[in-house]
Amino acid sequence: MLTRIYFNAVFGALGGLLGWMLFSVFGQNTASDESLSARLLLDGALIGGGIGYFVVSVDAIRDRSWVRFVRLASYGLVLGAVGGAIGMFIAERVNFALVGGIGAIRGNVFKFLGTVLTRGLGFLFLGAFVGASEGIAARSLGKFSYGTLGGLLGGFIGGSLFALVYLVTLQRGADASFAGAAGLVVMGACIGALSALVQGVFQPASVKVMRGWQEGREYALDKNAILLGRDEHADIALFRDMKVEKRHAFIRRKGDRYVLVNNNAPPEWTRVNEAPVVGDVELNDGDRIQLGNILLRFQRRAAQNRAKRGDKMTR
């Protein structure tokens, strides 16, 4: 889980930087007679689209699945832009209503804190849309729910930190471009990291690659049917092993049970605990799944939590 949080934070930070670059090129070139509302919507869309583009496509980039990357990045770009536009508009309007705008905050602690918190409230929507777009792209209700919650938290914390970094940097006489870039990098990292954290905490089960492509990688089982194979659209992409079929097997969730289903692949290359699987077999915590030469381990979140508590009690 820590690895995924790290990657999400890094790519979220890159998304924040991309958002600032887009804003610098396009957002500041709006005509002077355009309304404030239109400018806020455009600025927010550019920033949100940049963050969503990277955060939502993290898994596809790590798997080097470029077809899936295009699909995920498209969802992230569009929904991130929508969330960013809404968030920027709300943040500015709420900020103006509560603290009278950001132009008179110097020396006023109340207005300074109010500006920081209202930015957090506004970008809460950006984080929620980015987190939700992961679930929509993956067609997973679990990822949608947990991603949205994580995005909400990340958007609020990241948006508040963005405002804090931006305002403090400006008050110390630094360039506004540097302040904006630094703030958006922090906000993107928070959205990415907290989205991954919440999903990792609440995911009911996962499989971890013990040998083969992406060794050490952990995949959440957050859908009722998870496809494993070499197909570019597989939920768990197992490339580089030609003994793995493109649509080799499914892991299906039936209530609290998880079942491995052989999808017409050779049984000798579809094993659970060394036993060939012709049809389907129920999975228990710790079971070793072999597809081709790739070895996976099935693990339940509840069992992992019990093991961790047991380790603490024996210390």
Side-chain angles (χ1 to χ4, degrees), residues 56-304:
V56 178
S57 59
V58 169
D59 286 340
I61 293 173
R62 292 180 65 190
D63 285 337
R64 302 175 194 174
S65 177
W66 305 120
V67 173
R68 190 153 58 101
F69 165 77
V70 172
R71 179 169 62 87
L72 295 178
S74 299
Y75 277 101
L77 179 66
V78 173
L79 292 178
V82 172
I86 294 174
M88 182 70 83
F89 181 83
I90 291 177
E92 193 67 31
R93 293 302 186 185
V94 172
N95 178 71
F96 186 83
L98 293 180
V99 298
I102 64 174
I105 65 172
R106 186 179 296 275
N108 189 317
V109 176
F110 173 77
K111 287 191 174 183
F112 181 90
L113 293 177
T115 299
V116 169
L117 292 177
T118 52
R119 283 290 183 270
L121 289 172
F123 283 112
L124 172 151
F125 289 90
L126 165 59
F129 272 77
V130 170
S133 61
E134 290 189 82
I136 294 172
R139 299 180 180 89
S140 167
L141 180 59
K143 181 171 284 191
F144 175 84
S145 303
Y146 305 142
T148 302
L149 176 58
L152 281 169
L153 295 174
F156 176 73
I157 295 173
S160 299
L161 290 176
F162 160 71
L164 181 63
V165 171
Y166 183 77
L167 294 173
V168 169
T169 305
L170 282 183
Q171 289 183 358
R172 293 187 176 181
D175 182 72
S177 295
F178 172 80
L184 287 176
V185 164
V186 171
M187 183 174 73
C190 285
I191 292 175
L194 283 168
S195 176
L197 174 63
V198 171
Q199 290 182 54
V201 168
F202 289 102
Q203 68 184 24
S206 63
V207 292
K208 185 174 183 178
V209 182
M210 308 303 294
R211 184 183 70 223
W213 168 254
Q214 297 284 49
E215 184 172 329
R217 179 78 182 276
E218 185 176 341
Y219 294 90
L221 301 179
D222 48 20
K223 295 170 61 175
N224 288 331
I226 300 287
L227 174 63
L228 302 90
R230 288 188 295 108
D231 192 292
E232 280 278 356
H233 296 289
D235 300 294
I236 300 178
L238 304 175
F239 299 140
R240 298 187 179 181
D241 186 345
M242 298 309 294
K243 291 178 180 176
V244 175
E245 302 291 332
K246 286 192 173 183
R247 300 174 64 85
H248 196 107
F250 289 90
I251 295 180
R252 298 188 183 277
R253 183 177 181 181
K254 301 179 178 180
D256 292 332
R257 300 168 54 238
Y258 289 86
V259 176
L260 178 75
V261 180
N262 185 336
N263 191 40
N264 297 318
E268 62 269 23
W269 295 116
T270 312
R271 297 173 178 267
V272 173
N273 298 329
E274 304 297 332
V277 177
V278 178
D280 57 72
V281 61
E282 184 171 351
L283 297 172
N284 297 300
D285 184 63
D287 280 352
R288 298 165 73 85
I289 304 167
Q290 183 177 342
L291 304 181
N293 292 310
I294 296 175
L295 185 64
L296 311 166
R297 183 179 68 203
F298 172 75
Q299 48 197 22
R300 287 182 177 272
R301 173 60 56 192
Q304 292 180 61

